[in-house]
Amino acid sequence: MTVPRVRIESLERHVGQRVEIAGWLQHARSSKHVHFLYVRDGSGVVQVVVAASDVPPALFDQAGGLPLETSLVVRGTVRRHPRRDELELGLDELDVVSRPVREYPISPKEHGVDFLMDHRHLWLRSRRQQAILRVRAEIVSAIREYFDSRGFVLVDAPILTPNACEGTSTLFETDYHGQKAYLTQSGQLYAEAAAMAFGRTYCFGPTFRAEKSKTRRHLAEFWMVEPEVAFMDLEGDIALAEDFLTNLVARVLDRRRAELGVLERDVAPLERIRPPFVRLRYEQALEILREAGQPVRFGDDLGGDEETVLSQRFDRPVVVTHYPMSLKAFYFKRDPSDPSRALNMDVLAPEGYGEVIGGGQREDDLAALEAAIEAHRLPRAAFEWYLDLRRYGSVPHAGFGLGVERTVAWICGLHHVRETIPFPRMLHRLAP
RNA sequence: UCCGGGAUAGCUCAGCUGGUAGAGCGGGCGGCUGUUAACCGCCGGGUCGCAGGUUCGAAUCCUGCUCCCGGAGCCA
């Protein structure tokens, strides 16, 4: 007799029926006459009850002697828990698929971060990590849908590049058939080329930074989505960022509320996310920081502490604009009304999370861009192709980059970005 | 690279001013209960990060090294 294979998330449709569940033994409790097995199948966890009075003695003993993370197929009848508002399975048949060869390393008790990261490949099985990665998957899906449904064409940038895109960050160097090559730190310059072909584009992929950063907001390998739009100015860029970010948050609230519940994320601050965001010019941001007791001077960049102070001050994201040109990369367009300022914007997520978006309007004037490359002492030859974009039909254009892991950390309410990516790459971690 | 903290049982940790190691959890065995990170009893389990030094004697004090954690800088 065949029994329908059912995922735990859809058990509600099978109450009273006999079904089959395939999964892993997550936890177990035993007594003389009854075993409680907690079976996880990736869609949820269900309590499987094995009663001595209902099954043959051999099956009862087998069910009580299974180690954690045994993979198994169970069959039985779906019924309501006698005391709790949940479903359970009354087992009548059990197939062990594979029994662990030794004790499962992750016990239901406490573990340190380093131990868990060493066992990241197993840690992913835990309820909390599953919740985080489901939110991440939802955000990635929402990003693609947002741009795909608004006429943006996905044009991915290369990961191996011949030179430093911006000339600022430290890059990972690799050997490319005898030639030096670098792992990309940003797809932006390539996205600009794509924008001149398609008008609205975005690239979405991994990026790499070799700086020896060891903070809760840094990874050596992280994912970034970078929209780039022709005939768009800074104002349009900010409006796009506002609408985009609002959309992402709403999507997670709509579809991943249960996961946010697992993470004990207070959703009230997320429900307040809607345009318009708070706008601050660089000097206004400095003023607020000084009032808050931060010793910042004109010309200072805003570091982690400063971002935290600013983003804790408002209940909506903060957009900081018009930084001094000296702080920004060569490709930013200067503000025509004050050429010492860049037409740039950073979006700081609230609740102390800080920068999740950085972008702005690009320099579209050939002579100005040539001068900027020279002023930054960048190798001109490597940028000839980029200069071509200004030689042939240059137009005002703008874009930004959103860091996926920081966004996931913020929306999930996490303290550290390392849990927001399946297998983090950090200063002291290349494995598993 | 800088500042701070750390490395003791499978895991999380205790071990004060030197006298050759303990607890909880996990595991094994037994008991008990429609159990909820269940509970009770018993059991095994350690080159105290590495290398030197001081001392009758070092997990403990000193020096060097390695590795890790938190933060800074840099940035998404």
Side-chain angles (χ1 to χ4, degrees):
Chain A
M1 175 178 121
T2 56
V3 202
R5 165 81 55 92
V6 173
R7 298 210 91 203
I8 291 168
E9 64 187 346
S10 51
L11 276 182
E12 191 64 50
R13 296 202 296 268
H14 299 271
V15 177
Q17 297 171 17
R18 189 163 182 267
V19 302
E20 174 180 282
I21 292 169
W24 295 263
L25 182 64
Q26 177 139 24
H27 191 53
R29 258 184 292 275
S30 279
S31 48
K32 192 171 190 179
H33 302 294
V34 61
H35 300 304
F36 299 99
L37 311 181
Y38 296 85
V39 174
R40 179 194 74 242
D41 75 345
S43 75
V45 178
V46 69
Q47 170 168 275
V48 175
V49 183
V50 190
S53 54
D54 297 346
V55 300
L59 174 54
F60 183 77
D61 289 345
Q62 182 191 23
L66 299 173
L68 294 187
E69 292 302 319
T70 297
S71 50
L72 38 72
V73 176
V74 293
R75 283 175 285 275
T77 304
V78 182
R79 63 194 188 206
R80 303 219 171 263
H81 192 291
R83 294 197 208 134
R84 297 191 151 197
D85 181 25
E86 59 185 47
L87 297 174
E88 62 178 27
L89 188 80
L91 180 137
D92 57 49
E93 214 176 335
L94 165 71
D95 292 334
V96 171
V97 177
S98 176
R99 201 183 157 94
V101 298
R102 64 173 75 94
E103 188 188 336
Y104 188 65
I106 300 180
S107 67
K109 275 283 180 176
E110 60 198 306
H111 294 286
V113 174
D114 201 41
F115 175 83
L116 290 169
M117 276 299 172
D118 281 341
H119 295 83
R120 182 65 173 168
H121 51 295
L122 302 177
W123 191 19
L124 298 180
R125 301 180 186 194
S126 77
R127 181 175 150 84
R128 182 183 159 80
Q129 297 307 311
Q130 284 195 26
I132 294 169
L133 293 181
R134 278 180 198 281
V135 172
R136 179 192 172 99
E138 193 66 50
I139 288 171
V140 168
S141 162
I143 287 169
R144 294 192 187 287
E145 191 190 295
Y146 181 89
F147 291 121
D148 290 346
S149 65
R150 285 168 176 75
F152 287 72
V153 178
L154 175 70
V155 182
D156 282 320
I159 288 172
L160 289 166
T161 62
N163 58 280
C165 282
E166 308 180 13
T168 50
S169 299
T170 318
L171 306 187
F172 287 106
E173 190 181 305
T174 185
D175 177 79
Y176 192 80
H177 304 301
Q179 183 187 346
K180 278 185 185 177
Y182 304 89
L183 299 187
T184 183
Q185 60 158 333
S186 164
Q188 186 209 307
L189 270 49
Y190 297 98
E192 288 185 51
M196 300 305 127
F198 296 93
R200 299 175 168 196
T201 66
Y202 72 106
C203 62
F204 191 8
T207 49
F208 308 86
R209 302 285 164 88
E211 281 114 4
K212 299 195 185 305
S213 298
K214 316 175 35 165
T215 76
R216 77 184 80 161
R217 24 186 130 186
H218 287 91
L219 293 168
E221 178 182 312
F222 65 97
W223 285 65
M224 187 154 66
V225 58
E226 295 172 278
E228 193 71 32
V229 181
F231 299 104
M232 189 170 76
D233 61 8
L234 179 63
E235 277 305 308
D237 203 31
I238 295 171
L240 178 65
E242 282 176 336
D243 188 57
F244 172 60
L245 211 50
T246 301
N247 196 283
L248 292 190
V249 171
R251 169 78 172 262
V252 174
L253 285 173
D254 183 41
R255 300 198 193 171
R256 294 293 161 194
R257 229 168 237 274
E259 282 76 8
L260 295 179
V262 168
L263 298 169
E264 299 177 318
R265 177 37 156 143
D266 176 9
V267 295
L270 297 178
E271 282 167 335
R272 287 195 290 268
I273 305 301
R274 58 174 64 94
F277 296 170
V278 177
R279 299 271 189 101
L280 296 176
R281 286 181 63 103
Y282 172 78
E283 59 271 22
Q284 293 176 297
L286 290 190
E287 208 163 301
I288 288 171
L289 289 167
R290 287 195 200 102
E291 283 168 16
Q294 293 276 328
V296 284
R297 289 172 308 179
F298 188 90
D300 286 350
D301 207 352
L302 305 181
D305 284 350
E306 287 78 30
E307 287 180 13
T308 301
V309 169
L310 281 176
S311 71
Q312 276 171 341
R313 204 160 180 99
F314 303 95
D315 65 354
R316 273 179 287 177
V318 179
V319 185
V320 186
T321 64
H322 300 87
Y323 281 54
M325 269 306 282
S326 59
L327 294 175
K328 306 309 290 183
F330 75 95
Y331 51 71
F332 279 96
K333 188 167 185 62
R334 288 175 187 276
D335 182 354
S337 63
D338 180 357
S340 73
R341 301 308 187 87
L343 291 178
N344 82 300
M345 59 103 177
D346 283 353
V347 180
L348 311 183
E351 300 172 80
Y353 279 91
E355 185 175 356
V356 291
I357 284 178
Q361 194 171 333
R362 322 304 185 188
E363 182 53 75
D364 53 303
D365 180 77
L366 178 63
L369 190 58
E370 287 174 324
I373 288 173
E374 186 145 338
H376 282 79
R377 293 182 183 165
L378 295 170
R380 162 80 183 245
F383 292 94
E384 284 300 329
W385 71 266
Y386 185 65
L387 290 167
D388 268 355
L389 305 178
R390 277 70 178 172
R391 292 186 181 110
Y392 307 108
S394 186
V395 302
H397 62 289
F400 62 79
L402 171 117
V404 170
E405 288 73 17
R406 286 185 180 179
T407 304
V408 175
W410 162 47
I411 291 178
C412 287
L414 306 179
H415 182 69
H416 203 296
V417 293
R418 66 189 155 205
E419 288 176 58
T420 65
I421 187 166
F423 294 95
R425 294 295 175 252
M426 299 181 290
L427 182 54
H428 295 296
R429 179 158 303 277
L430 186 57

